[in-house]
């Protein structure tokens, strides 16, 4: 059985950009362990010959002509940006100096 | 005016015959909203002014003697994970507390184009994650039939609003049971359509390979009418599929004579509530008396469905929720560097359930675990889908309880996520296989409603709704409103 450790929780939290207090980390360790222990029952199903299902519908490609669809919600989209400069999204420095 | 027995067709007749106006009808529903909301809390936002304006437009049509469409002038509620232009769309999360939707979801737009009157946005578990409504960042919705109990979730507010007579019908979303389970708990009808039946454009995504939008309504016919209106392919959702639109009239023509109803043995599990089982079996007996043939069938991978679900769904959710980074919309906490802006904004904006699922999904997708969890779950998904394909070679529909238990007391499962996840055990497989599934009332255990689930092959909504219509007539349960002490 896979055991989720405190170090695992810290590593996963860093990957998905979440932060937790020490108490929350402990609770998360316990809760994730119990959920992972439950889902690990899949290991008992033989699947060597089985193809994975990525998508349930038989549809493969949904193609359409390449044309411009006018819309009127650009200003509303811009309006929900917390910090911007005119029509540009403002972010902190991405690459360090 | 008494709308306690109202259905879409009776209200349509009343409007067309000028027995009441759409404005009066809307006012009546808004009055009910104001009366019961302090107790039920089904709505996060009531759009009173725009609803009345819309209703008056419909009344102008009536006064000009124009013929109304079936949904025209009828008050509806929409789960707050669906975008509604100009109105807040919070997804039950603090992250989107001040977010105003820039456009309207296709399913909502189709209903508005058909003349339905949006009276408000309904409460739900945060980002549709939950089976009780208690994960809403804005407080839980109460079950209208027993306010000490949960209404189910995640479409908690939509189910409660319809049950409490606050809306004629509502839209919900169902990723693992989030329409059917609350419908069952609140004694209303709920349908999860075939994957691809309804466009997901404008839906705040939970798990994109599982999510579907569908109706919650008081009767099977009402649900069929709403489904007809919201179905169809949409160029804005490449996963929506072009198929004939389900017709409520075709459902009326479905006969029980010779219909093969499969009873999946694995759905009558140990620990199934006794009262629930009794009512479901009584409903099955009614179908048999009316000419249907009951056939025991097996879906051998059923016991793995919930495990598959709790890998695929958090994996997809963690990916979808990566867009909540404090940069383009929603909560933003300023911090020293970009990394900290992400982390602090996500820390402040997400509640504990989204955080738990993001963690679980990130783990299942992370290096070293991907094959053991995510890929394995996709393979077992194939086997679950095949189980249904095999079963539908022998039977026309499958019937089961919607939930293993009755609506549970508020607070009972909030400290134990796994116990909460088990509430979905009979509903998740339909999402995993992409098939349509209906929950309809089949009676009451004491004061608490019990849901009866009908599943069919992909694109068989007309059939399962037709069987539902017949069963509804056979059961002849009364349509009434709960007494909410107002």
């Amino acid at each position: 059985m896979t055991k989720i450790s405190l170090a695992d929780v810290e590593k996963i939290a860093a990957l998905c950009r979440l932060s937790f207090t020490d108490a929350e980390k402990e609770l998360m360790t316990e809760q994730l362990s119990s959920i992972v222990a439950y889902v690990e029952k899949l290991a008992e199903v033989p699947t060597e010959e089985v193809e994975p299902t990525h998508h349930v519908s038989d549809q493969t490609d949904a193609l359409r002509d390449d044309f411009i669809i006018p819309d009127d919600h650009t200003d509303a989209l811009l309006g929900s940006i917390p910090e911007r400069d005119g029509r540009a999204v403002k972010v902190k420095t991405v690459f360090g100096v | 005016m008494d709308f306690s027995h109202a259905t879409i067709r009776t209200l349509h007749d009343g409007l067309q015959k000028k027995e009441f106006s759409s404005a009066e009808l809307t006012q009546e529903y808004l009055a009910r909203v104001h009366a019961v909301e302090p107790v039920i809390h089904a709505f996060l936002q009531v759009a009173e002014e725009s609803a009345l304006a819309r209703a008056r437009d419909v009344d102008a049509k009536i006064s000009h003697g124009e013929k109304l469409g079936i949904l025209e002038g009828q008050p509806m509620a929409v789960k707050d994970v669906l975008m509604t232009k100009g109105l807040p769309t919070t997804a039950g999360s603090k992250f989107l507390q001040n977010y105003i939707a820039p456009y309207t979801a296709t399913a909502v737009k189709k209903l508005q184009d058909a003349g339905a009157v949006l009276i408000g946005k309904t409460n739900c578990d945060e980002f549709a994650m939950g089976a009780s409504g208690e994960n809403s960042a804005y407080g839980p919705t109460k079950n209208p039939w027993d306010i000490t109990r949960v209404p189910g979730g995640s479409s908690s507010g939509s189910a409660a609003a319809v049950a409490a007579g606050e809306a004629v019908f509502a839209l919900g979303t169902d990723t693992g049971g989030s329409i059917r389970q609350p419908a069952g708990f609140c004694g209303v009808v709920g349908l999860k359509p075939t994957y691809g039946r309804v466009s997901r454009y404008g839906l705040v995504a939970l798990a994109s390979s599982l999510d579907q939008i569908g109706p919650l309504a008081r009767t099977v016919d009402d649900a069929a009418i709403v489904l007809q209106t919201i179905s169809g392919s949409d160029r804005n959702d490449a996963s929506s599929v072009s198929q004939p639109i389900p017709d409520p009239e075709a459902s009326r023509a479905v006969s029980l004579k010779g219909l093969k109803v499969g009873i999946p043995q694995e759905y009558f599990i140990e620990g199934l509530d006794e009262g629930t089982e009794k009512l479901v079996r009584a409903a099955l007996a009614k179908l048999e008396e009316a000419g249907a043939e009951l056939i025991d069938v097996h879906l051998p991978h059923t016991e793995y469905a919930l495990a598959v679900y709790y890998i695929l769904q958090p994996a997809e959710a963690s990916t979808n929720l990566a867009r909540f980074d404090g940069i383009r919309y929603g909560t933003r906490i300023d911090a020293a560097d970009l990394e900290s802006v992400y982390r602090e904004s996500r820390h402040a904006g997400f509640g504990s359930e989204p955080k738990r699922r993001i963690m679980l999904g990130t783990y299942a997708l992370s290096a070293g675990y991907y094959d053991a969890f995510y890929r394995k779950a996709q393979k077992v998904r194939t086997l679950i889908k095949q189980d249904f394909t095999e079963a539908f070679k022998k039977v026309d529909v499958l019937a089961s309880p919607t939930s293993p238990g009755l609506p549970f007391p508020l607070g009972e499962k909030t400290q134990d996520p796994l116990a909460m996840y088990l509430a979905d055990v009979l509903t998740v497989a339909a999402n995993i296989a992409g098939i349509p599934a209906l929950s309809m009332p089949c009676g009451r255990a004491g004061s608490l409603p019990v849901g009866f689930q009908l599943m069919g092959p992909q694109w068989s909504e007309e059939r399962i709704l037709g069987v539902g219509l017949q069963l509804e007539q056979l059961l002849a349960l009364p349509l009434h409103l709960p007494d909410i002490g107002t």
Side-chain angles (χ1 to χ4, degrees), chain A residues 32-73:
Chain A
L32 289 189
S33 294
S34 97
I35 298 164
V36 169
Y38 177 79
V39 300
E40 275 192 325
K41 73 198 276 185
L42 293 187
E44 69 196 49
V45 187
T47 52
E48 291 73 27
E49 308 291 315
V50 181
E51 287 297 314
T53 295
H54 305 288
H55 204 279
V56 286
S57 101
D58 298 330
Q59 179 166 268
T60 48
D61 299 311
L63 301 176
R64 63 163 172 79
D65 292 338
D66 184 15
F67 54 87
I68 293 168
I69 303 165
D71 68 57
D72 60 355
H73 54 248

Side-chain angles (χ1 to χ4, degrees), chain B residues 261-274:
Chain B
V261 177
I263 305 174
Q265 299 301 295
E266 294 81 2
Y267 279 60
F268 290 81
I269 48 174
E270 204 185 303
L272 178 64
D273 170 68
E274 247 178 70

